[in-house]
Amino acid sequence: MKTSHCLAALTALVAMPAFATPPLATVVFHDGGRPVLSITDPQGAALVDATLGLRTAGSDLTHDLRLIGTTQRNLTENYRMTTGKRLVRSANLAETRYALQNDKGEKLDVVVRVANDGVAFRYELPGTTQATVTGEATSYTLPADARAWLLPYDPSNEKERIQTSAAAAPSGDYGYPSLFLTGQRYVLITEANADGRYDGSRLSHVANAPRYGLVLADSRVESTGVTPWRTVITGDLPTVTESTLVDDLADPSKLTDTTWVKPGRVAWSWISDHDSPKDFERQKVFVDFAAANRMPFVLLDEGWSDSWAPQLIRYANAKHVDVLMWFPWTKLDTPAKREAWFSRIKGWGAKGVKIDFMGSDSQARFRWYDDTLADTARFQLMVNFHGGTIPHGLARTWPHLMTMEGVRGAENDPPAVGNTIQPFTRNVVGSMDYTPVALDVGKKEASIAHEIALPIVFESGWTHLADSPEAYQRRPNALMFLDQIPTVWDETRLIAGTPGEDAIFARRSGDRWFIGAIAAGPARRLSVPLSSLGVGPWRADIVRDGMGRGDVARESQNVTADGTLSFDVPANGGFAAILCPAAKGQFKYGCYR
């Protein structure tokens, strides 16, 4: 394809570690002055071409554009999260601003940021603080044969992902994040820093073509003249999976005090007993279960009554358990409703809310998210969003946002193969309230040890355990292991994995590593080399599948720093382990505390 002008690749703007292989980003102008951002691997192999351009009510800034100047700067930000793959973050970004102008003198800036783990770009209308955007020319073209793991779009983001190729995917709309494999490099396409200043978007595809066009949720967006970041995370699978680029691109925290923000495990009754949130006595059982197993929270889901909810909160608080409360978003859709309900439940002693059924990526709904996060922060109520959009970096901006759904979770009885795709797609961009560890409910397709590994494989600031107290109590080895798993991490490593086949994660909390290994499909052997986890030697406390759907088997062994944990697992099986320094593995139950 002909080009009339080519801009320099962004390769030398950030001091990269010697082992880093950042992508290359080059802007070219195709015939007709249509700008395209070409993203390649460090060797120059094509990954994705992003067509650029913006339309407003008064301007068409998609063609007849020419470069009139560039500016460059380096950005380094250090920040701390309350949830996520690692609490302490450092972002290093190389930014180039391309000033473009058409023949009418109308201007558009394309701001491109390059990091070790990807490329992001956004549009800015210079000198403008208010503009009506009517669409974008943004589209992504990939190699036709690139493997693809895609989410058919619905505004709740709860459909089953499909495995296909970039060109062969059926015609239709697809949600974020969209994962592709080109050669040896993965490409994950999503958006960051999307809030009520704009709206959400999705990708539209026509079968037999490798192009994915960006479609806005609204036909008209009242913008500030700045769009969200169109974000392409790329690299090998560990680079993509461990990326924090979405958070790195988000606005800094709006909170100065986060001492009241408390992640943790949550006892939850709705999946195992749909009617239980209506039953005060049954809810007390879940409170007792949480207290006995050092779980800081219980969730009152759909059906609770204000005639007894305050009494349950007092009962729970006496046992050092806090209560979270479910709401449909329509009960909180105005400032007056939020003020009334939040002040009321705060007075009862509730510590957080689960808000459900938003089902829209429109600007109006994104403004509602903004207002609701501001109001909950004012009342010091933590938040879990269900039935709505996916993370765009909001957990950095609003650190009391503990988790979001935006996934086909356990309540929908998804197949086990999905568990080996979600860590490389949806969970890359933020905490994921999948509600794992369904033992006696659901399809029972995954093995017991596979389920026990999910709170490690999946990251969520609040982890809602999906089954009943009785299901866990019948499996004391499993329950004892679950009681050890934190929900925040100092470090995350992808040890091995292939989307749709298996996933092996190591996450560190303090001086302990937690290993979660899961597989989809036939029985096989899963191995975890330990060389990347530290000096060792380690004490390893391991849980594996026992007989049928009974309790897991527990075993212990000492391993060296260069050792390997390797086990045969059944169909859709897995295993989990806790590693602690061998010299410290002297608690009553080894690495258990």
Side-chain angles (χ1 to χ4, degrees), residues 528-532 538 559-566:
V528 183
L530 307 177
S531 57
S532 66
W538 305 102
V559 289
T560 60
D562 60 353
T564 299
L565 294 178
S566 189

Side-chain angles (χ1 to χ4, degrees), residues 378-400:
R378 182 163 49 88
F379 281 95
Q380 294 195 346
L381 291 168
M382 294 172 282
V383 180
N384 171 13
F385 286 128
H386 260 236
T389 195
I390 64 168
H392 302 127
L394 279 176
R396 178 185 178 189
T397 308
W398 296 103
H400 64 303

Side-chain angles (χ1 to χ4, degrees), residues 491 493 508 511 513 530-539 559-563 579-583:
E491 193 173 355
R493 301 277 181 86
R508 181 175 63 82
D511 61 359
W513 284 96
L530 307 177
S531 57
S532 66
L533 303 186
V535 296
W538 305 102
R539 154 87 179 224
V559 289
T560 60
D562 60 353
L579 270 61
C580 61

Side-chain angles (χ1 to χ4, degrees), residues 4 40 82 100 111 131 173 177 244 338 365 419 436 483 520 557 579:
S4 58
T40 67
T82 56
L100 311 181
V111 183
D173 288 354
T244 62
R338 291 193 294 274
R365 201 60 42 85
N419 294 344
D483 286 346
Q557 59 180 265
L579 270 61

